[in-house]
């Protein structure tokens, strides 16, 4: 049976978050967008701790999209610097908590230093199994489906792939099915995040901007999730009780 929390009941195995609203949070305070991203990192730390404590198996965070490369150069550079320092600063605590780190996205587009930090962090946490923290950097849902298709075509032996065989080529291979997709910042769109993987995920849109998102908001999302009835295209009778 899936783990239950005291407050909410069923806990999703895999949660993904579109961490949106750093820029608006900063602009409302007369700060630079980069300062908003730094405040966003603090919220990220809180979220990792929150979901790990709740027994979530995998947490996938959208940190930088394929399209975010088109932002002003200064903002992109500030973000790249922040990713390097974030990996360095967070790694000891992730290791101590037994959290495994994994990066998904077109990583060859990033500066070499960041690429090697990502590889080192993955290697140093590879044996951890409390929770897998997946950071989507340079990620796009369309990129993921295309790279999977390319690799499948190259390796295929002429057989048609079934969905399970195809999923093994997606960057999220081996992770539990996506149960809950949260977006902060008030927009109700996917913005090219986990397109294939979100097929039957429950969607939860929060008005809070990412830097102001804390335990109360995240618990609110888990509460909403626990009240949803998931049917996966079946009737409720065939599916049994919600989340059974
Ligand atoms: C999300 O916050 C972080 C990234 C996309 C890197 P935004 O920077 O998109 O913040 P808003 O949406 O402009 O407020
Ligand atoms: C989505 O946010 C990407 C991340 C949170 C990393 P955006 O701010 O880039 O998305 P849009 O532009 O509102 O669709
Ligand atoms: Mg945004």
């Amino acid at each position: 049976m899936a783990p239950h929390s005291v407050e909410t009941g069923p806990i999703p195995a895999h949660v993904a978050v579109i961490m949106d609203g750093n820029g608006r949070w900063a602009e409302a305070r007369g700060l630079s967008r980069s300062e908003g991203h730094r405040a966003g990192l603090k919220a990220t730390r809180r979220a990792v701790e929150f979901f790990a404590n709740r027994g979530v198996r995998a947490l996938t965070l959208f940190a930088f999209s394929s399209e975010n490369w088109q932002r002003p150069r200064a903002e992109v550079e500030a973000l790249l610097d922040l990713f390097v320092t974030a990996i360095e600063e967070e790694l000891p605590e992730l290791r101590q908590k037994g959290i495994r780190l994994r990066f998904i996205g077109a990583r060859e587009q990033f500066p070499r230093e960041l690429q090697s930090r990502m590889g080192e962090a993955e290697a140093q946490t590879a044996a951890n199994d409390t929770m897998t923290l997946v950071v989507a950097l340079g990620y796009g849902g369309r990129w993921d489906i295309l790279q999977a298709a390319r690799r499948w075509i190259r390796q295929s032996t002429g057989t048609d792939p079934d969905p399970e065989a195809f999923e093994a080529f997606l960057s999220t291979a081996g992770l539990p099915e996506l149960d809950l997709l949260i977006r902060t910042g008030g927009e109700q769109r996917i913005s090219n995040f986990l397109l294939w993987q979100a097929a039957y995920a429950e969607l939860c849109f929060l008005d809070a901007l990412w830097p102001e998102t804390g335990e109360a908001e995240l618990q609110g999302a888990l509460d909403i999730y626990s009240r949803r009835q998931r049917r996966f295209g079946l009737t409720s009778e065939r599916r049994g009780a919600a989340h059974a």
Side-chain angles (χ1 to χ4, degrees):
M1 211 168 110
H4 280 57
S5 89
V6 182
E7 299 93 334
T8 62
I11 291 293
H14 185 175
V15 178
V17 187
I18 301 175
M19 310 183 289
D20 197 25
N22 295 349
R24 279 165 284 166
W25 181 89
E27 280 155 20
R29 284 160 183 75
L31 303 170
S32 69
R33 294 181 60 88
S34 307
E35 286 172 293
H37 296 313
R38 273 199 291 277
L41 176 58
K42 291 190 188 140
T44 305
R45 209 174 283 142
R46 291 196 292 268
V48 170
E49 185 164 4
F50 174 85
F51 287 116
N53 288 342
R54 290 295 185 285
V56 163
R57 302 300 308 151
L59 174 65
T60 301
L61 301 177
F62 205 7
F64 191 83
S65 76
S66 317
E67 290 73 28
N68 289 153
W69 282 112
Q70 289 151 46
R71 290 192 178 195
R73 200 184 157 86
E75 182 173 350
V76 171
E77 278 175 5
L79 278 165
L80 297 180
D81 287 347
L82 187 65
F83 297 145
V84 172
T85 40
I87 295 173
E88 192 181 325
E89 284 173 17
E90 304 306 319
L91 195 55
E93 190 151 346
L94 294 176
R95 292 182 71 172
Q96 190 230 324
K97 290 196 163 108
I99 294 173
R100 179 176 189 170
L101 200 55
R102 178 164 156 182
F103 293 93
I104 57 171
R107 70 170 81 187
E108 69 285 353
Q109 296 173 350
F110 287 100
R112 265 180 214 286
E113 189 196 2
L114 180 52
Q115 285 188 48
S116 55
R117 298 272 173 141
M118 290 189 220
E120 283 160 21
E122 285 176 330
Q124 287 178 24
T125 59
N128 291 353
D129 63 359
T130 305
M131 181 178 84
T132 301
L133 172 60
V134 185
V135 181
L137 277 185
Y139 181 88
R142 289 177 174 174
W143 165 85
D144 201 0
I145 294 168
L146 265 180
Q147 68 79 29
R150 280 196 201 103
R151 290 198 297 136
W152 173 74
I153 290 165
R154 258 185 255 130
Q155 294 179 28
S156 85
T157 49
T159 49
D160 283 341
D162 54 37
E164 287 74 31
F166 187 72
E167 271 173 3
F169 292 93
L170 290 169
S171 64
T172 47
L175 297 170
E177 275 286 303
L178 183 61
D179 294 312
L180 173 62
L181 172 60
I182 300 168
R183 181 176 185 139
T184 62
E187 313 287 2
Q188 303 200 356
R189 55 178 173 253
I190 304 282
S191 297
N192 196 20
F193 195 25
L194 300 163
L195 298 180
W196 172 289
Q197 297 84 345
Y200 270 105
E202 294 299 321
L203 307 182
C204 177
F205 298 100
L206 301 177
D207 286 331
L209 302 169
W210 182 245
E212 65 196 18
T213 301
E215 194 164 320
E217 289 73 23
L218 300 174
Q219 184 61 53
L222 288 185
D223 291 344
I224 289 169
Y225 175 79
S226 73
R227 291 194 293 269
R228 297 268 175 89
Q229 192 196 37
R230 304 181 77 190
R231 289 188 287 277
F232 301 93
L234 312 183
T235 60
S236 9
E237 270 162 36
R238 296 231 45 185
R239 182 66 203 154
H243 304 283

